[in-house]
C-alpha cells in the first residue's frame, strides 16, 4: 500500500464513517497499512465482528531504549446524521475559504493524518529512543478504547519499552494543556405508585418526586459554584469547581395517569485531583434519603441511583520534556486546562503522562460544518517532526 499525501490521508479518513456506534476496523487497517509503508511495526487490538468490528492501533519504531514519545488520537467521531446545520457533505473533506470541512476535521482525524505524514518523514532507522503511535476507538463514548488498550500496551509493544510521555492531539488551537477534569455519569430511577390523576393522594407521582430530587441536585451545584477552588482558578477560569449536568429525563404514560416511573441521567466533571467517586456517593446519600415524596401524597417513592461510569481526569506534572518542547514549538506560554475529557486519564493508569495540544479548534468540535484551517492542517506535520526529533533524538 502506497502511503498517501497529507491531504489525501485526511480526506480518506474523513470519508470513513467512524461514528462511535459503528465499526471502524477497516479504517484502522488503512492506517496500519500507511504506517507499515512508513517503516513502523504495527499491531491492531481487535474486538467485535462484521460491520461492528473495531480496533485500536499500536505502531512503533526505534530501539528498545527507555524514553521516547507517544503520539495519540482517536479515530471515532460523534454522529452527524440528523444534526441540523450541515451545508456540506460530512464525509467529504471540502476545502473552501481557507478552511477544510468535514466530520472529524478538528476532532480529530486531521491530527492522525499529520502523525502518519510525520512518521513518513522521520528517519526511523536513526531514532535514539522509541516513537509510538496509539490510535484509539470509542473515545467519544467514555474513552472505552483507551481503557481496553492501556493494560495491553506492554504486550503489544513487545521489546519496545513503553514511553512515559504522550502527546494527545485533541483540538486546542495549538494551546498546551497539562490538565483536564474527569467525567462521571450515572442513572437515577424513581418508582412511585400509579393511579387515576383525579386522585393524586392515592398514588405517588414519580415525576413529581424526580422534580424534588433534581432541585436537590441544583442546590448541590449552587453550593459547589459558591466555593471555587483557588488552586484551579488559573486553569479552569470559567468553572474552578465540579460541574453537574442533567442530560436526559423520561417518565409517565399519559396525562391523566399518575406517573409510576421516572428516570434521568446525571453527569459531573470532577476536578482532576479529587476522588471521582466522592460526589456520586454524596448524591446517592442525598437522593436516597427517607421521605422521597411528591406534593400530593404521604407515601414514599423508591429511588435507585445506578453505579457510576468513571472516566479519569488528567493532572500532569509540570515541566516535562514534552510540555517544554510543545511550548517552545507553539509559542504558547499560558496556563490552562482542557475543558473536555480525553484518553489521558486511561493512559495514566499505565504510567503515562499526557499533554493535550492539537491543530483543531474546540469551537468546531461536534458542530455542523466542522472545519479546520488550511494553515493548521498543512503546518501540523512540521510541528510533530520538531517535537519528535527532540524527544526521540532523530538525526
Amino acid at each position: 500500500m502506497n502511503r498517501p499525501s497529507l491531504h489525501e490521508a485526511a480526506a480518506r479518513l474523513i470519508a470513513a464513517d467512524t461514528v462511535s456506534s459503528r465499526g471502524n476496523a477497516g479504517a484502522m487497517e488503512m492506517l496500519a497499512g500507511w504506517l507499515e509503508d512508513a517503516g513502523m511495526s504495527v499491531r491492531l487490538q481487535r474486538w467485535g465482528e462484521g460491520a461492528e468490528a473495531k480496533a485500536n492501533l499500536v505502531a512503533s519504531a526505534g530501539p528498545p531504549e527507555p524514553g521516547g514519545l507517544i503520539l495519540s488520537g482517536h479515530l471515532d467521531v460523534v454522529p452527524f446524521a440528523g444534526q441540523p446545520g450541515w451545508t456540506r457533505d460530512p464525509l467529504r473533506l471540502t476545502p473552501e475559504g481557507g478552511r477544510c470541512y468535514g466530520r472529524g476535521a478538528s476532532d480529530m482525524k486531521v491530527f492522525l493524518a499529520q502523525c502518519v505524514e510525520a512518521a513518513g518523514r522521520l528517519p526511523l532507522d536513526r531514532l535514539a529512543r522509541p516513537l509510538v503511535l496509539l490510535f484509539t476507538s470509542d473515545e467519544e463514548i467514555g474513552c472505552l478504547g483507551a481503557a481496553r488498550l492501556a493494560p495491553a500496551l506492554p504486550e503489544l509493544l513487545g521489546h519496545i519499552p513503553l514511553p512515559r510521555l504522550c502527546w494527545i492531539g485533541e483540538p486546542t488551537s495549538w494551546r498546551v494543556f497539562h490538565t483536564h477534569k474527569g467525567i462521571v455519569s450515572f442513572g437515577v430511577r424513581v418508582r412511585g405508585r400509579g393511579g387515576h390523576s383525579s386522585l393524586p393522594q392515592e398514588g405517588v407521582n414519580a415525576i413529581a418526586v424526580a422534580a424534588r430530587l433534581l432541585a436537590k441536585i441544583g442546590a448541590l451545584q449552587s453550593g459547589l459554584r459558591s466555593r471555587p477552588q483557588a488552586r484551579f482558578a488559573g486553569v479552569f477560569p470559567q468553572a474552578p469547581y465540579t460541574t453537574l449536568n442533567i442530560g436526559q429525563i423520561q417518565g409517565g404514560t399519559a396525562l391523566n395517569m399518575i406517573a409510576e416511573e421516572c428516570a434521568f441521567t446525571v453527569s459531573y466533571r470532577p476536578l482532576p485531583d479529587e476522588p471521582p467517586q466522592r460526589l456520586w456517593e454524596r448524591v446517592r446519600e442525598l437522593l436516597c434519603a427517607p421521605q422521597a415524596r411528591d406534593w400530593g401524597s404521604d407515601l414514599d417513592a423508591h429511588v435507585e441511583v445506578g453505579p457510576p461510569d468513571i472516566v479519569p481526569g488528567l493532572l500532569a506534572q509540570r515541566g516535562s520534556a514534552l510540555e517544554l518542547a510543545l511550548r517552545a514549538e507553539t509559542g504558547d506560554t499560558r496556563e490552562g486546562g482542557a475543558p473536555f475529557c480525553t484518553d489521558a486519564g486511561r493512559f495514566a493508569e499505565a504510567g503515562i503522562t499526557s499533554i493535550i495540544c492539537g491543530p483543531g479548534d474546540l469551537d468546531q468540535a461536534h458542530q455542523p460544518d466542522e472545519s479546520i484551517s488550511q494553515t493548521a492542517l498543512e503546518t501540523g506535520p512540521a510541528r510533530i517532526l520538531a517535537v519528535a526529533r527532540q524527544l526521540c533524538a532523530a538525526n
Side-chain angles (χ1 to χ4, degrees), residues 76 94 130 187-188 197 211 242 247 253-254 301 373-374 377:
D76 62 313
T94 306
V188 178
S197 63
T242 296
T253 303
S373 76
Q374 187 83 26
L377 188 156

Side-chain angles (χ1 to χ4, degrees), residues 254-275:
L255 64 86
N256 59 351
M257 298 173 65
I258 298 172
E260 293 187 62
E261 289 196 2
C262 184
F264 57 90
T265 58
V266 183
S267 66
Y268 63 89
R269 295 180 182 264
L271 294 171
D273 66 345
E274 294 181 349

Side-chain angles (χ1 to χ4, degrees), residues 251-319:
T253 303
L255 64 86
N256 59 351
M257 298 173 65
I258 298 172
E260 293 187 62
E261 289 196 2
C262 184
F264 57 90
T265 58
V266 183
S267 66
Y268 63 89
R269 295 180 182 264
L271 294 171
D273 66 345
E274 294 181 349
Q277 191 164 323
R278 179 186 294 168
L279 187 62
W280 173 82
E281 294 170 348
R282 185 176 174 187
V283 170
R284 182 181 60 175
E285 182 179 357
L286 183 67
L287 299 192
C288 294
Q291 297 183 352
R293 297 172 180 169
D294 69 18
W295 293 275
S297 173
D298 293 329
L299 302 174
D300 289 340
H302 179 67
V303 179
E304 299 174 1
V305 176
D309 184 10
I310 299 172
V311 181
L314 165 68
L315 187 59
Q317 185 175 352
R318 301 302 306 276

Side-chain angles (χ1 to χ4, degrees), residues 63-356:
E65 298 291 339
L69 174 65
I70 297 171
L71 300 172
S72 183
H74 61 86
L75 181 62
D76 62 313
V77 296
V78 296
F80 51 84
Q83 183 182 28
W86 282 96
T87 63
R88 300 166 179 84
D89 185 349
L91 296 180
R92 181 179 179 183
L93 184 66
T94 306
E96 184 180 315
R99 300 193 68 84
C100 295
Y101 294 83
R103 173 60 89 216
S106 269
D107 187 18
M108 57 179 299
K109 291 183 174 182
V110 163
F111 183 75
L112 303 190
Q114 292 171 339
C115 289
V116 172
E117 177 71 13
R121 295 188 200 175
L122 272 173
L124 298 178
D125 58 343
R126 298 202 298 274
L127 295 178
R129 290 180 288 275
L131 175 68
V132 173
L133 273 59
L134 304 181
F135 295 162
T136 64
S137 299
D138 293 347
E139 189 272 351
E140 297 287 7
I141 53 174
C143 303
L144 302 180
R148 183 186 296 264
L149 179 62
L153 282 172
E155 178 185 353
L156 291 168
L157 284 171
H159 69 289
I160 298 293
L162 178 65
R164 299 300 175 179
L165 294 176
C166 177
W167 174 0
I168 300 181
E170 291 276 5
T172 71
S173 304
W174 293 122
R175 286 203 62 187
V176 180
F177 295 142
H178 72 284
T179 184
H180 63 66
K181 298 178 183 180
I183 184 168
V184 180
S185 59
F186 57 93
V188 178
R189 182 173 296 277
V190 181
R191 302 182 190 276
R193 176 183 293 184
H196 198 285
S197 63
S198 65
L199 297 172
Q201 71 278 7
E202 300 297 325
V204 179
N205 191 307
I207 294 176
V209 174
R212 288 191 167 187
L213 301 182
L214 292 174
K216 291 184 178 183
I217 293 175
L220 179 60
Q221 176 68 97
S222 296
L224 293 169
R225 185 178 182 181
S226 69
R227 298 187 298 275
Q229 302 302 302
R231 66 190 185 280
F232 288 111
V235 292
F236 303 124
Q238 293 177 310
Y241 50 86
T242 296
T243 58
L244 285 139
N245 181 61
I246 309 301
Q248 297 170 303
I249 187 168
Q250 58 184 11
T253 303
L255 64 86
N256 59 351
M257 298 173 65
I258 298 172
E260 293 187 62
E261 289 196 2
C262 184
F264 57 90
T265 58
V266 183
S267 66
Y268 63 89
R269 295 180 182 264
L271 294 171
D273 66 345
E274 294 181 349
Q277 191 164 323
R278 179 186 294 168
L279 187 62
W280 173 82
E281 294 170 348
R282 185 176 174 187
V283 170
R284 182 181 60 175
E285 182 179 357
L286 183 67
L287 299 192
C288 294
Q291 297 183 352
R293 297 172 180 169
D294 69 18
W295 293 275
S297 173
D298 293 329
L299 302 174
D300 289 340
H302 179 67
V303 179
E304 299 174 1
V305 176
D309 184 10
I310 299 172
V311 181
L314 165 68
L315 187 59
Q317 185 175 352
R318 301 302 306 276
S320 69
L322 175 57
E323 181 182 355
L324 295 177
L326 283 169
R327 291 194 181 282
E329 177 59 31
T330 63
D332 181 32
T333 60
R334 296 166 290 180
E335 183 180 24
F340 48 81
C341 203
T342 77
D343 284 335
R346 304 292 195 191
F347 292 156
E349 296 169 350
I352 298 168
T353 296
S354 300
I355 299 294
I356 315 302

